[in-house]
Every structure is written in structure tokens, then in C-alpha cells.
């Protein structure tokens, strides 16, 4: 349907009786759907009627069910039916590109078919009357060649009889003019029928023709003429009565009788034909009724289709509304975006304005800077001017000095003049005295002279004052210049000193840097050497070491007054490497047993007096090894209550002097990490805490229920990965304290007869140490495993039953597997059964090969535990014999 143009779609739907509105993008698909649906229904109708499915689903828009139903009524031969099933594409449709199928006979309209059949019938009649029974597809031809033949034969017979009658005497006096009324009536009826049939599109039937040919068939010539020359048949129209060709003599009774007989037989044939026609008409009516039914059904279907299409249309309308709504929203959004764009633009403009303002301010500042520079230049010029003025002033002072000298000379001159004048005055006074009274004006002159002298005196005084002031100013300026010059030279001296000191310092720094580089190199080399030596010492001590630790009596275990540190049945050697434990052997009812001394040697034996600090001092070397990139495993083995947890963990309080190996080891790693930072080492410490209970792993620092599994990551290095376990990066002792508190809460503890809070599980504290040296690029990865094993006592002794018994069995199994691994390592077997228990599998890379292992065998001081203690010590001494080979550093 995609190829159908809008115009074509409109035309096709209109052909189906649908009036359609404007075709838009939205409505086009609906119209196309509607049209496709109509075509599908028509196909179905065709399939039903033809009784076989149509191969191609493409319908012909020109085809209609009504037309097909009409066509179906036509009796078809087998060949025609075959041709009906043949599909072809008409040329005009091919040109238009409309995909369709064509059933030509089905599509041919009734009119076309009738016209065709008429033509064929006429052709057949003209060329060969005997072929008038030729069947045209879809055309009902009522006369067959057999019936025509019968009629012709009958006519010939009648002619023969007529001829015979003519030779005989006229027995019957029948004239054509006296043809009975019914005969005439029949003849006229036939004529009417003939006319009617000729007007009808279905009336190319030989019935009319036959009527035309037979009714006038009174004489054999007429019949022969009809038979031999069919074109002559219309000439006999109207029959013998109308044509008046042959008139029998009134005496020709026989002839008349024959005519009547012929007429009778012709009427009989006609009657049969009429009956046949009637039957056809009835069938036609029936078919029409059926068509009407089908049309009604189709009408109903179309109505329902119309309803569904209307619904679809309303849905489409709804969708259109929705789309419109969305469009509106989009428009609003777009407007908002435009507004925001405008806002952003405005802001941008404002920013640009700000920017330009800032730029102009910058320019102003630059201008100001230029001004200041200019001012500075001016100031310098002014300074130079001042200096020049100063020089000028000095010069002026010199000039003034000269003037003062001149004035002094003038004064002296004036004084001499005054003296002269005085003498003159005296003379004049004498003269005046002489002439006093004579000349009064002389007094005035004198007074004026005196006034002039006074004036000159005041002038001299003011000049002297000015000179004095100028002298003072010059002196002041000179002082200032002197002090400034002094300061300047002082500053210059200082500057020179500072420069000297600075260059000294720089050369010193250079020297120090060189020395520092040498020192750092030496330090790194020394650190490497230290590690190597440390490792050598550790190797010399043995990569698997066993320490024995006997705890003191607890206050609840001693009888008042008894010392807690004295254990009668035990003896500790002087070199802290031996323990002898005496036990009674063969003691039975009524018979005293023998006292046997069981002596054991270990790498170190800690007695009841040894403190936690003493114990850790012997362990810290291994902790350092872990920091240096080795796998280290320290585990505590012993019966319940022997002091394993005390040794490994101790009280949770981080300040307690009884804190155990875990907190102390962590303190050491953090401290060393800080110290090593100076040498370029950066460490990351990642901790996890696991528990193995009844051969199941539990995370002690996470409440997650996810199943924890051990996976072997590297077969060669036996590196294992524990899935679904929480790892926390710890940076200080506070982090570790939090972690231990959490783990302590989660740890599975159960009361047994042996110990009030006996741990029935193994706990494994793991610390991964990753180090990287930023100075030389060295890296190292170490693992520190600190394991507190569950009680090793025999099940029978614990008196456990049920769940407790199961727990004890799981513990015993895992511990015996630990023993088996140790034994296999000792015997240097190719297969070490690490996987036999969760404990050995988890610790597989810390037991043997690339690892350093330390086992604490914890022993109870109680006499009643002697046998269990001896068992533990035996197991430990077996382990002590194991040679793990040389440990390798992880990089
Ligand atoms: N060296 C010691 N000095 C003083 N007290 C100790 C020493 N060793 C153990 N204790 C005390 O003995 C008791 C039992 O010790 P601990 O709980 O460590 O035994 P355990 O072997 O870990 O037992 P369990 O197998 O049930 O965990 C504790 O109260 C602990 O404080």
C-alpha cells in the first residue's frame, strides 16, 4: 500500500462506497488500513466461494464479492474453471504500479459477458448453425446442437409428408387464413418474446431464433432455407400466416392436418423451452435471493467495519489530541528554552559588559600605573630638580655670602661714610651751631638723613636675618644630605653583606642537597640491606617457628595464698627454649602411677611470668617482614582456656597493658609506615576479619549473609582470594579498635564445660600491606595473618553432645588437617592437602613456600589439663620440625 498515491487511494475507497475526507499524514495510514481490510475481506469471500485459498494475498480493487457471486452462477467447464484460477496483472495496473491479481472471467461484468456470448453465438450461427451450442464462459446458451438437429429432422419429415400430401387429394380444407386463434396468439406471443429477447442482453438464445425459424416452417423449403442459409431466417419472420407464402387449398385436408401436427409439435417444443426458461428464472431468483443475503451480510460487516474504523478514528483523534498536547508542551518547553537562552544571552552580554568594564578598569589601572610611572619619573625629575635647586641654593648661598660680604663692605663703607658723615655732621653741627638758628632746614635734612640711616639699619638687620635663615636652611639641608648619604652607604654596605651571606647560604644549601642525595641513597641502600639482613635473621631463626606459652593461674583457679606464677608440674629451662612437663603414667585404681618428664624444645618458651610485651618483642620481627613484603602467619594453638585469645588479641581496650599481638602489630605497622614515609614509602593497610565455624566462613566485620568462598587465584604462588568478604582500609589504631569491637560482637562463642566463654571457631585477622616507594619506584605487598584457633581439646574431654559435638568434630578435623599439611610439608610431598579444610585452604599461602609462619602453642597451667597440654606440645614439636624453605618477597 505504500506505493499508492493519495489520489489513487481516494479513488479506490470511493469505488468501495466510502466517502473520505482530506488525506493527511495522520489519516493516510488509517485509510490505507481500512482499504487493506476491505480487500482482505473480499479475498476471504473469494476463497469461500471458490473453495480454494487464493495464492496471492494482493487483492484487485476492481473486484467485488457481488460480481464474483454473480459470476459463480455461470456454469463453467473444467477448462474455464482452470482459467478462472489463473492470475494475471492487467497492463493498465502494471503501468500504475498497483500490485494486484486478476481473475479475468471473474472480473468480467455481466454486460460484457452477455455481449461476448451474443457475439459468439451469432458468429456460431452464421458460420455453422450446428455449432450454436458453443459455450461461452459465463453465458447460458439454451439450445444444443442435438435439439437443433432434432428440429431439423422433424421439419424435413414434415416437408416429406407435405409433399406426399400434395400428391394426394386434398382431404383437409384448411387455409392459412383460417389458422386457429390460439395458433395466431402463440405466434404473436412468440414474436413479442422474440422482440423482448432481442432487446435483452441475455437473449442471444437460440430459442427466439428457433421460434423465428420454426413457426413459419409449414413448407419444407422454408425449413431447408432455414437450415441451409441461416441469414435467410429473419426473412421468415412472422411465420407463414404473416408471410402468406404457402396457402393450402381448402381441400388439402391432409396438408392442413400436417401443418397442425407440425404446429403442435413446435408448440410442444416451445412449451418445453418455456418450462426450461422458467426453471432458469427460478434458479436466477434463488441466486438473486442468495446474493441479497450475502449483500446484507456484507452490509453488516461493512457497518461493523465502519464502527471499528470510527472507533479507530476516535482513537486517532485522541492520539492527535495527545500529540497536540505534547506539541503544546514542546512549544512551551521550547519557549522556556528560548527564554532561558535569552537569559543566558543577557547574562553573557552582562558578562561581556563586565568583562569590557573590567578590561577598561584594567586599562585605567594600566593608565594609572603609567601615570604612577610618570609620577615616579616626575618625582625623580623633581628630585633631580631639588638636587639642582639644592645646588643652585648652594650657589645662591654662595652668592648671598658674597652679597653679605659686599653688604658688609657696604656697611663698612656706610659706617665710614656715616663716620665721615658724623664728622661732617659734627662739622655741620658745628656749622649748624654756628648757623643754628640760621638755617632751620638743615635740621630737616638731618632728620631725613637719620631716618634714612634708620631705614638702612633695619634693612641691614632684615638682610642679616635672611642670611641667618638661609644659612640655617642650608645647614639643615646639608645635615639631611649628610644623613641620607650616611644611610645610603650604610644600606649599600648592608646589601653587600646580605648578598654575601646569601651566596654563602646558597652554596651551603647546594652542599647540603648533595649531601642529602648521598644520604638518601645511602639510606635506601641501608634500608635494602636492613631488609635483607632482617630476612636473613628471620630465615636463620627459621621460616616456621614455634613458641610455647604457658599462662599463669587465674585468680579463680588458685587456692588462697598459692602463687599464680608457680606451676608445680612444669619446669622451664634457663634459656627460654625448653619446657618439661611431668605427668603420671599408668595410674590406675589402687595403684600409683609413674611420674614421667615430657621435655620439649621450641624456638622460645614463655612462662607464666612473661608479659604481653615480652611476647610481642619476639613477634615484631615477623611484623616487620610483613611490612617488607612477606607473607606472615601467626597462629595460636591450644586447648580451650589456654590463653590463645589473650595472646593474639587480649582485652579490647587499646590502652591496656594486656593488649595482645593484633593491636600491638597494628601499632607497629602504623608507626613504621610513618617513619618510612621519610624514605619515600607510602603504605596502604587493608584489614579483614574472618571466622571459620563448622567449616563455614563468616565475615566478622560485616552483617552480610552472602556466601563466602575461597578461590585459588594463583596456583603457583598459592595466592587465594576470599569472595564476599568486607575489607576495610585502616589508617590508625582507632580504626583497628573499632574493627576489633565489631568482630568481637559477631564472633560465635558458646559455653562449654571447659571454659565459660569458649571460642568454638577459628578467627583469622588479615592485614594486607601494600607499599610503594615514590623515590625509587620500589613496591611490596605483604600479608599478615593473625589466627586464633579454636580449642584443640579432644571431644571426649569437653563432654559435648549434639551441636557442640558437631562443632568440636569440625574443629578437630580442621586442626588434624592442619597437622597433615604440616606433615606433608615436612616430608616434602608433592601434594600438600591444603584443600582438605577451610582453615588450611585459607592459610595455604602462609603455610609453606613463600611465607613465614609462627605458631604459638598455648598451654594451661592446670594439672588436670596436663595430658591435653602434652598433646598440644607434641603437635607443636612436630610442626617445629617442618622446614618451609626460603621465603620470597612479594613485589
Ligand atoms: N598470659 C596470661 N596472663 C594472664 N591471663 C591470661 C594469660 N593467658 C590467658 N589468660 C586468661 O585466661 C583466660 C582464658 O584465656 P583465653 O580466653 O585467651 O583462652 P583461649 O585459649 O583463647 O580459650 P578459647 O579457646 O575458649 O578461646 C582469660 O581470662 C585470659 O585473660
Amino acid at each position: 500500500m505504500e506505493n499508492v498515491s493519495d489520489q489513487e487511494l481516494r479513488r479506490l475507497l470511493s469505488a468501495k462506497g466510502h466517502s473520505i475526507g482530506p488525506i493527511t499524514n495522520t489519516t493516510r495510514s488509517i485509510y490505507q488500513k481500512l482499504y487493506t481490510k476491505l480487500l482482505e475481506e473480499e479475498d476471504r469471500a473469494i476463497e469461500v466461494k471458490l473453495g480454494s485459498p487464493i495464492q496471492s494475498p494482493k487483492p484487485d480493487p476492481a473486484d467485488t464479492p457481488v460480481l464474483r457471486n454473480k459470476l459463480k452462477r455461470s456454469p463453467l467447464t473444467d477448462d474455464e474453471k482452470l482459467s478462472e484460477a489463473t492470475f494475471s496483472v492487467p497492463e493498465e495496473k502494471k503501468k500504475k504500479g498497483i500490485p494486484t491479481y486478476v481473475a479475468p472471467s471473474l472480473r468480467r461484468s455481466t454486460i460484457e459477458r452477455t455481449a461476448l456470448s451474443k457475439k459468439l453465438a451469432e458468429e456460431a450461427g452464421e458460420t455453422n448453425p450446428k455449432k450454436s451450442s458453443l459455450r461461452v464462459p459465463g453465458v447460458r446458451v439454451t439450445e444444443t446442437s442435438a435439439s437443433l438437429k432434432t428440429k431439423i429432422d422433424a421439419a424435413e419429415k414434415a416437408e416429406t409428408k407435405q409433399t406426399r400430401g400434395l400428391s394426394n387429394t386434398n382431404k383437409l380444407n384448411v387455409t392459412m387464413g383460417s389458422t386457429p386463434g390460439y395458433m395466431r396468439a402463440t405466434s404473436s406471443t412468440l414474436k413479442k418474446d422474440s422482440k423482448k429477447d432481442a432487446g435483452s442482453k441475455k437473449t442471444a438464445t437460440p430459442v427466439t431464433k428457433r421460434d423465428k425459424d420454426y413457426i413459419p416452417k409449414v413448407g419444407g423449403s422454408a425449413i431447408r432455407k432455414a437450415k441451409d442459409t441461416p441469414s435467410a431466417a429473419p426473412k421468415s419472420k412472422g411465420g407463414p400466416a404473416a408471410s402468406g407464402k404457402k396457402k393450402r387449398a381448402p381441400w388439402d385436408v391432409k396438408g392442413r392436418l400436417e401443418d397442425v401436427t407440425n404446429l403442435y409439435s413446435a408448440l410442444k417444443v416451445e412449451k418445453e423451452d418455456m418450462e426450461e426458461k422458467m426453471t432458469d428464472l427460478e434458479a436466477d431468483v434463488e441466486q438473486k435471493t442468495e446474493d441479497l443475503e450475502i449483500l446484507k451480510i456484507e452490509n453488516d460487516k461493512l457497518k461493523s467495519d465502519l464502527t471499528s474504523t470510527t472507533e479507530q478514528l476516535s482513537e486517532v483523534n485522541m492520539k492527535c489530541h495527545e500529540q497536540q498536547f505534547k506539541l503544546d508542551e514542546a512549544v512551551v518547553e521550547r519557549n522556556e528554552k528560548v527564554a532561558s537562552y535569552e537569559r543566558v544571552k543577557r547574562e553573557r552580554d552582562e558578562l561581556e559588559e563586565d568583562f569590557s568594564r573590567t578590561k577598561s578598569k584594567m586599562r585605567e589601572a594600566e593608565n594609572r600605573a603609567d601615570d604612577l610611572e610618570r609620577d615616579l619619573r616626575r618625582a625623580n625629575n623633581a628630585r633631580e630638580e631639588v638636587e639642582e635647586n639644592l645646588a643652585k641654593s648652594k650657589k645662591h648661598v654662595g652668592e648671598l655670602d658674597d652679597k653679605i660680604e659686599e653688604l658688609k663692605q657696604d656697611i663698612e663703607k656706610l659706617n665710614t661714610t656715616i663716620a665721615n658723615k658724623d664728622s661732617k655732621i659734627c662739622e655741620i653741627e658745628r656749622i649748624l651751631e654756628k648757623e643754628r638758628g640760621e638755617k632751620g632746614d638743615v635740621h630737616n635734612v638731618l632728620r631725613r638723613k637719620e631716618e634714612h640711616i634708620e631705614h638702612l639699619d633695619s634693612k641691614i638687620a632684615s638682610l642679616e636675618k635672611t642670611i641667618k635663615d638661609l644659612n640655617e636652611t642650608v645647614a639643615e639641608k646639608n645635615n639631611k644630605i649628610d644623613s641620607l648619604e650616611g644611610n645610603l652607604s650604610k644600606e649599600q654596605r648592608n646589601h653587600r653583606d646580605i648578598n654575601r651571606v646569601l651566596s654563602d647560604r646558597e652554596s651551603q644549601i647546594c652542599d647540603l642537597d648533595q649531601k642529602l642525595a648521598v644520604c638518601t641513597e645511602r639510606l635506601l641502600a641501608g634500608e635494602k640491606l636492613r631488609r635483607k639482613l632482617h630476612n636473613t635473621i628471620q630465615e636463620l631463626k627459621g621460616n616456621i617457628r614455634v613458641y610455647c606459652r604457658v599462662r599463669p593461674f587465674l585468680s579463680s583457679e588458685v587456692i588462697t595464698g598459692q602463687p599464680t606464677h608457680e606451676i608445680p608440674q612444669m619446669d622451664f629451662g634457663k634459656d627460654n627454649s625448653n619446657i618439661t612437663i611431668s605427668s603420671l603414667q599408668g595410674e590406675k585404681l589402687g595403684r600409683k602411677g609413674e611420674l614421667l618428664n615430657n621435655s620439649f624444645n621450641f624456638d622460645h618458651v614463655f612462662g607464666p611470668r612473661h608479659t604481653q610485651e615480652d611476647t610481642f618483642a619476639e613477634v615484631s620481627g615477623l611484623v616487620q617482614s610483613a611490612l617488607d613484603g612477606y607473607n606472615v602467619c601467626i597462629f595460636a594453638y591450644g586447648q580451650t582456656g589456654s590463653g590463645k585469645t589473650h595472646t593474639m588479641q587480649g582485652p579490647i581496650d587499646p590502652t591496656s597493658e594486656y593488649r595482645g599481638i593484633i593491636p600491638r602489630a597494628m601499632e607497629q605497622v602504623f608507626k613504621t609506615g610513618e617513619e618510612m614515609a621519610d624514605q619515600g614509602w607510602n603504605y596502604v593497610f587493608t584489614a579483614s576479619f574472618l571466622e571459620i565455624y563448622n567449616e563455614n566462613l563468616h565475615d566478622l566485620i560485616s552483617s552480610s549473609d552472602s556466601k563466602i568462598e575461597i578461590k585459588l587465584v594463583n596456583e603457583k604462588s598459592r595466592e587465594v582470594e576470599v569472595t564476599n568478604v568486607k575489607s576495610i582500609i585502616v589508617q590508625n589504631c582507632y580504626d583497628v579498635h573499632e574493627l576489633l569491637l565489631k568482630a568481637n560482637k559477631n564472633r560465635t562463642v558458646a559455653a562449654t564445660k571447659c571454659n565459660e566463654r569458649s571460642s568454638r571457631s577459628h578467627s583469622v585477622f588479615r592485614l594486607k600491606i601494600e607499599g610503594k616507594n615514590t623515590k625509587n619506584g620500589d613496591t611490596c605487598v605483604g600479608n599478615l595473618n593473625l589466627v586464633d584457633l579454636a580449642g584443640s581439646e579432644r571431644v571426649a574431654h569437653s563432654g559435648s553432645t549434639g551441636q557442640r559435638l558437631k562443632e568440636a568434630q569440625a574443629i578437630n578435623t580442621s586442626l588434624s588437617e592442619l597437622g597433615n599439611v604440616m606433615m606433608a610439608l615436612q616430608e616434602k610431598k608433592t601434594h600438600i592437602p591444603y584443600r582438605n579444610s577451610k582453615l588450611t585452604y585459607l592459610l595455604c599461602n602462609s603455610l609453606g613456600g613463600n611465607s613465614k609462619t609462627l605458631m604459638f602453642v598455648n598451654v594451661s597451667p592446670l594439672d588436670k589439663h596436663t595430658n591435653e597440654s602434652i598433646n598440644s606440645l607434641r603437635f607443636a614439636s612436630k610442626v617445629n620440625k617442618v622446614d618451609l624453605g626460603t621465603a620470597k618477597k612479594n613485589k
Side-chain angles (χ1 to χ4, degrees):
M1 276 309 291
E2 286 88 289
N3 296 331
V4 178
S5 66
D6 290 351
Q7 207 181 348
E8 185 65 9
L9 187 65
R10 185 184 293 282
R11 189 186 67 74
L12 295 171
L13 279 170
S14 306
K16 297 282 173 200
H18 289 272
S19 60
I20 60 172
I23 298 174
T24 62
N25 283 342
T26 322
T27 55
R28 183 181 294 109
S29 64
I30 298 160
Y31 287 137
Q32 283 175 347
K33 270 185 205 164
L34 174 66
Y35 178 67
T36 312
K37 206 169 174 190
L38 284 170
L39 293 183
E40 279 170 6
E41 284 185 359
E42 283 178 10
D43 280 342
R44 276 200 292 279
I46 290 168
E47 279 171 28
V48 170
K49 300 230 183 287
L50 290 176
S52 64
I54 292 165
Q55 294 301 310
S56 169
K58 309 270 175 159
D60 178 6
D63 209 352
T64 66
V66 179
L67 183 59
R68 281 195 216 108
N69 291 335
K70 279 179 184 172
L71 290 166
K72 195 187 164 250
R73 289 202 319 269
S74 305
L76 302 173
T77 62
D78 289 345
D79 289 342
E80 286 163 355
K81 276 176 187 169
L82 249 176
S83 76
E84 288 287 333
T86 309
F87 296 94
S88 65
V89 182
E91 280 309 310
E92 68 274 13
K93 295 218 170 179
K94 275 184 190 170
K95 277 177 202 161
K96 282 180 186 174
I98 300 170
T100 182
Y101 79 94
V102 183
S105 62
L106 285 176
R107 284 193 297 101
R108 208 175 294 139
S109 70
T110 313
I111 295 163
E112 285 169 315
R113 277 191 284 116
T114 313
L116 183 65
S117 62
K118 192 176 173 184
K119 197 179 163 198
L120 287 169
E122 277 171 6
E123 278 172 12
E126 279 167 13
T127 52
N128 188 0
K130 284 190 180 176
K131 286 182 185 172
S132 60
S133 64
L134 183 77
R135 299 193 71 164
V136 178
V139 180
R140 176 171 280 273
V141 182
T142 52
E143 190 158 21
T144 63
S145 59
S147 68
L148 276 173
K149 208 176 173 228
T150 318
K151 285 172 190 173
I152 291 162
D153 290 345
E156 276 174 349
K157 271 180 197 169
E159 198 179 15
T160 318
K161 275 180 189 172
Q162 207 175 15
T163 317
R164 267 203 306 270
L166 281 170
S167 60
N168 296 332
T169 53
N170 290 328
K171 289 173 184 175
L172 278 168
N173 190 15
V174 181
T175 63
M176 285 305 286
S178 63
T179 306
Y182 74 86
M183 210 173 138
R184 281 197 296 277
T186 308
S187 176
S188 67
T189 313
L190 284 173
K191 267 191 242 171
K192 267 185 205 166
D193 281 352
S194 173
K195 274 180 193 167
K196 195 174 141 193
D197 288 348
S200 162
K201 287 184 178 156
K202 272 179 148 186
T203 51
T205 63
V207 175
T208 314
K209 199 167 179 267
R210 183 191 57 207
D211 290 347
K212 286 174 196 167
D213 293 344
Y214 273 82
I215 290 167
K217 240 187 265 175
V218 178
S221 60
I223 293 164
R224 263 195 304 276
K225 200 177 176 184
K227 186 184 168 188
D228 297 332
T229 54
S231 58
K235 287 178 187 170
S236 63
K237 199 177 175 182
S243 66
K245 252 186 187 179
K246 271 220 170 190
K247 285 190 179 177
R248 290 186 191 274
W251 58 85
D252 190 4
V253 176
K254 203 180 170 185
R256 283 174 187 271
L257 196 64
E258 272 176 10
D259 284 347
V260 169
T261 314
N262 287 339
L263 195 59
Y264 171 71
S265 58
L267 284 169
K268 210 175 168 187
V269 169
E270 191 188 347
K271 186 194 161 225
E272 278 168 11
D273 285 345
M274 291 300 280
E275 278 171 358
E276 228 176 87
K277 228 176 180 179
M278 195 66 186
T279 321
D280 285 347
L281 281 168
E282 276 170 6
D284 207 16
V285 166
E286 235 172 69
Q287 191 57 50
K288 286 252 160 60
T289 320
E290 270 176 33
D291 286 350
L292 195 68
E293 296 282 312
I294 289 160
L295 281 168
K296 273 179 185 170
I297 290 162
E298 275 174 9
N299 190 29
D300 292 345
K301 262 186 201 168
L302 284 170
K303 272 180 185 170
S304 69
D305 284 352
L306 189 69
T307 320
S308 68
T309 312
T310 317
E311 280 169 11
Q312 277 175 359
L313 261 171
S314 62
E315 267 176 36
V316 168
N317 274 339
M318 289 250 299
K319 276 178 189 166
C320 279
H321 285 309
E322 275 173 24
Q323 290 298 330
Q324 186 61 44
F325 183 66
K326 278 180 189 168
L327 194 72
D328 292 346
E329 277 182 344
V331 167
V332 169
E333 203 177 316
R334 188 185 147 278
N335 289 341
E336 279 173 8
K337 276 184 183 163
V338 167
S340 70
Y341 170 73
E342 294 287 331
R343 252 198 323 277
V344 169
K345 211 174 158 193
R346 267 202 305 282
E347 279 170 13
R348 188 175 147 276
D349 291 344
E350 280 171 15
L351 279 171
E352 273 177 0
E353 270 175 31
D354 278 357
F355 180 66
S356 59
R357 267 203 298 276
T358 314
K359 230 173 158 184
S360 64
K361 273 181 188 169
M362 263 177 74
R363 267 200 297 279
E364 277 173 23
E366 278 171 4
N367 291 339
R368 266 210 301 279
D370 290 344
D371 290 347
L372 281 171
E373 258 182 40
R374 270 197 299 278
D375 285 351
L376 195 67
R377 271 201 298 277
R378 270 203 296 275
N380 281 336
N381 292 340
R383 187 175 146 273
E384 280 167 12
E385 272 175 28
V386 165
E387 278 176 359
E388 262 177 41
N389 285 339
L390 197 65
K392 276 180 191 166
S393 293
K394 276 182 181 174
K395 207 175 154 192
H396 185 61
V397 166
E399 283 171 4
L400 283 173
D401 282 344
D402 292 344
K403 270 185 183 173
I404 288 163
E405 281 300 315
E406 277 174 21
L407 282 170
K408 276 179 181 172
Q409 282 170 7
D410 284 348
I411 289 163
E412 275 174 18
K413 275 178 191 170
L414 279 171
N415 281 336
T416 49
T417 310
I418 287 163
N420 289 336
K421 294 253 168 130
D422 279 343
S423 62
K424 272 182 185 175
I425 287 164
C426 282
E427 257 182 68
I428 289 163
E429 274 178 352
R430 261 195 336 262
I431 295 164
L432 272 174
E433 269 177 38
K434 275 182 191 174
E435 292 176 9
R436 198 170 280 169
E438 295 172 359
K439 291 182 182 176
D441 295 338
V442 175
H443 285 287
N444 294 335
V445 171
L446 193 69
R447 237 187 349 263
R448 276 201 296 274
K449 290 277 178 186
E450 278 173 353
E451 278 170 11
H452 182 64
I453 288 162
E454 273 173 22
H455 176 69
L456 283 171
D457 281 344
S458 67
K459 216 175 176 181
I460 288 162
S462 76
L463 278 169
E464 277 175 349
K465 199 176 174 255
T466 310
I467 289 161
K468 201 182 164 195
D469 287 348
L470 279 169
N471 278 337
E472 275 174 10
T473 313
V474 168
E476 216 175 282
K477 291 262 162 98
N478 281 337
N479 284 342
K480 264 187 184 174
I481 287 163
D482 287 346
S483 75
L484 280 170
E485 277 174 354
N487 281 344
L488 190 69
S489 57
K490 214 171 155 185
E491 287 298 320
Q492 279 170 346
R493 263 200 313 279
N494 278 346
H495 185 67
R496 273 196 297 277
D497 288 349
I498 286 166
N499 276 345
R500 228 184 355 263
V501 172
L502 213 63
S503 61
D504 284 354
R505 289 277 152 85
E506 272 173 2
S507 62
Q508 272 175 7
I509 287 166
C510 252
D511 289 349
L512 283 171
D513 277 347
Q514 280 168 2
K515 277 179 190 168
L516 191 70
V518 173
C519 282
T520 314
E521 256 176 48
R522 277 185 194 161
L523 199 69
L524 289 171
E527 174 60 22
K528 271 188 184 168
L529 190 67
R530 183 202 63 71
R531 283 176 186 223
K532 208 173 166 186
L533 286 172
H534 177 76
N535 190 42
T536 313
I537 292 163
Q538 295 299 319
E539 272 172 28
L540 287 171
K541 280 187 180 178
N543 277 334
I544 179 150
R545 262 172 271 167
V546 180
Y547 292 171
C548 171
R549 190 178 192 192
V550 182
R551 72 163 170 84
F553 287 108
L554 304 176
S555 54
S556 58
E557 293 168 345
V558 291
I559 309 152
T560 332
Q562 186 191 334
T564 52
H565 298 101
E566 280 175 22
I567 308 161
Q569 76 279 16
M570 287 183 199
D571 181 57
F572 304 99
K574 284 180 183 162
D575 59 353
N576 290 334
S577 63
N578 179 268
I579 178 173
T580 306
I581 180 164
S582 36
S583 64
L584 268 178
Q585 292 279 307
E587 194 182 23
K588 280 183 185 165
L589 280 171
R591 199 189 123 189
K592 262 195 167 181
E594 263 181 67
L595 202 66
L596 263 182
N597 284 336
N598 304 279
S599 189
F600 300 95
N601 281 313
F602 296 108
D603 293 292
H604 206 107
V605 175
F606 298 96
R609 287 180 200 278
H610 282 106
T611 60
Q612 294 282 66
E613 201 180 340
D614 297 337
T615 316
F616 185 71
E618 291 299 320
V619 170
S620 66
L622 286 176
V623 176
Q624 183 57 49
S625 288
L627 273 163
D628 294 344
Y630 292 90
N631 287 344
V632 175
C633 180
I634 302 170
F635 56 92
Y637 176 91
Q639 71 178 108
T640 298
S642 58
K644 299 183 295 296
T645 311
H646 182 81
T647 303
M648 295 309 295
Q649 192 172 313
I652 296 294
D653 180 5
T655 57
S656 168
E657 62 173 308
Y658 299 113
R659 65 193 188 282
I661 289 171
I662 296 175
R664 283 173 195 267
M666 296 309 294
E667 283 164 25
Q668 186 182 332
V669 296
F670 292 134
K671 196 169 165 233
T672 315
E674 272 174 29
E675 285 167 3
M676 300 285 269
D678 295 341
Q679 294 171 34
W681 281 99
N682 278 332
Y683 285 100
V684 177
F685 305 110
T686 315
S688 60
F689 211 163
L690 286 167
E691 179 193 59
I692 305 169
Y693 175 70
N694 275 352
E695 281 300 275
N696 287 318
L697 286 155
H698 300 278
D699 192 345
L700 287 176
I701 53 172
S702 163
S703 45
S704 164
D705 288 336
S706 312
K707 195 168 166 47
I708 299 170
E709 277 174 16
I710 306 164
K711 282 183 184 166
L712 194 64
V713 180
N714 189 328
E715 188 80 41
K716 206 176 164 193
S717 66
R718 292 196 310 282
E719 193 188 330
V720 290
E721 186 190 276
V722 189
T723 59
N724 297 325
V725 78
K726 192 174 178 181
S727 298
I728 297 172
I729 291 177
V730 284
Q731 288 172 326
N732 49 44
C733 293
Y734 177 76
D735 292 346
V736 178
H737 175 62
E738 289 284 304
L739 190 143
L740 292 178
L741 270 178
K742 210 175 212 176
N744 217 40
K745 260 189 206 169
N746 290 336
R747 188 151 187 212
T748 307
V749 287
T752 69
K753 283 184 182 176
C754 297
N755 198 323
E756 205 183 323
R757 271 172 51 86
S758 174
S759 299
R760 312 303 301 152
S761 58
H762 311 299
S763 75
V764 183
F765 177 87
R766 314 192 94 190
L767 183 76
K768 190 174 185 183
I769 303 167
E770 291 166 292
K772 190 172 182 183
N773 194 313
T774 49
K775 285 187 178 165
N776 59 6
D778 273 4
T779 56
C780 65
V781 182
N783 284 295
L784 180 64
N785 294 290
L786 302 171
V787 188
D788 182 1
L789 295 169
S792 62
E793 65 279 2
R794 285 174 186 167
V795 178
H797 280 216
S798 69
S800 305
T801 52
Q803 175 67 14
R804 296 285 165 270
L805 179 66
K806 228 171 117 185
E807 287 171 356
Q809 280 169 344
I811 294 160
N812 285 351
T813 308
S814 60
L815 290 177
S816 65
E817 286 302 333
L818 180 66
N820 292 339
V821 166
M822 293 294 184
M823 291 309 111
L825 285 167
Q826 190 193 20
E827 289 162 22
K828 299 204 173 8
K829 285 187 177 173
T830 47
H831 174 70
I832 313 293
Y834 289 113
R835 292 184 188 228
N836 283 5
S837 79
K838 290 277 159 60
L839 178 68
T840 48
Y841 196 18
L842 182 70
L843 299 174
C844 72
N845 72 338
S846 302
L847 297 171
N850 184 23
S851 63
K852 293 171 189 283
T853 310
L854 169 63
M855 185 173 105
F856 271 95
V857 54
N858 288 87
V859 176
S860 163
L862 294 175
D863 191 28
K864 62 177 179 178
H865 290 152
T866 299
N867 285 342
E868 207 59 67
S869 300
I870 291 168
N871 282 337
S872 297
L873 290 167
R874 278 186 187 142
F875 176 80
S877 57
K878 268 188 192 176
V879 172
N880 205 23
K881 285 174 192 158
V882 176
D883 176 14
L884 290 185
T886 310
K888 278 183 199 159
K889 188 180 166 185
N890 298 320
K891 286 197 177 179

